[in-house]
Amino acid sequence: MTKIILCDDNSHELKNISAQVAAFYGDDACEINCFDNPMEALAYCDSEQVDIAILDIVMPEMTGIELAQILRSRGLDGHLVFLTTSNEFASEAFEVEATSYLLKPVNESKLAAVLKKIEKARQQYDHEKFTIFSRSAVRLIPVRELMYTEIIRHKLYFYLADGEVVELYATMREYAEQLLQFECIVQCHTSFLVNMNFIKSVESTRLLMKNDTAIPISRSFTDTRDICLKWLFGRRRGK
């Protein structure tokens, strides 16, 4: 079930968007929680895993951008959709990795298109897996759980989102071809493969991951920075 929050200080808009979202998913496929106060939305997200947050940008106590920044800092890795009456906040929306940016009054078909895109990405991401071969076992790992892979001397390390590190004797070449078939995986260095869904920020010479690990961008992979920026801007965030 897809868990969604809506936050808009306008009760009429909140009711309208909620009805459109419910119509898209049907009665049993989603859980919608509506808030007219951003602080209440924050409190809810502190205790619940949210897949999609649809936020009005212009609110009196806190803007939707500010709310999104706090949610991201507290670990929200779901999709963000912003609602607004003007395009002036587009750059700020980019900074918090928004999936989409819709102008009010929200057109039902445009909202449905955004939700369809999100669900397609989530379903695809949930089913993607790669295989690790060791001397004792073969293991399938969901791509959504892999943050990055690093080679040190003759040992390959797979860093997973839950903190587990899987290690085995192998070369990067043995696994690069398998991993790079997934759209979210990029190589930024001969020693690193990165899942772009776990990037917190893109800097000139490095990628900062959500666990605060800094991964270098090699001069041999000069296009990596642009690839990552484009991914974050048009991001599926499909978890």
Side-chain angles (χ1 to χ4, degrees), residues 93-128:
F94 165 79
E95 290 174 4
V96 290
E97 303 162 7
T99 299
S100 192
Y101 186 93
L102 294 172
L103 293 176
K104 290 184 174 184
V106 176
N107 179 282
E108 186 171 358
S109 63
K110 289 183 178 180
L111 176 60
V114 169
L115 295 175
K116 184 176 181 180
K117 174 185 174 183
I118 288 172
E119 287 306 313
K120 181 180 179 181
R122 290 181 68 233
Q123 290 170 17
Q124 178 182 351
Y125 196 57
D126 284 343
H127 288 88
E128 291 177 339

Side-chain angles (χ1 to χ4, degrees), residues 70-98:
I70 297 172
L71 289 173
R72 286 289 192 227
S73 72
R74 294 183 182 181
L76 177 76
D77 58 2
H79 292 261
L80 290 172
V81 178
F82 287 115
L83 311 176
T84 185
T85 54
S86 93
N87 284 315
E88 65 179 299
F89 299 99
S91 61
E92 288 90 343
F94 165 79
E95 290 174 4
V96 290
E97 303 162 7

Side-chain angles (χ1 to χ4, degrees), residues 217-236:
I217 299 174
S218 167
R219 291 181 180 178
S220 302
F221 297 91
T222 54
D223 59 342
T224 297
R225 186 173 180 275
D226 288 339
I227 291 171
C228 292
L229 287 171
K230 287 178 182 178
W231 178 265
L232 295 180
F233 186 65
R235 181 188 182 109
R236 79 4 90 224

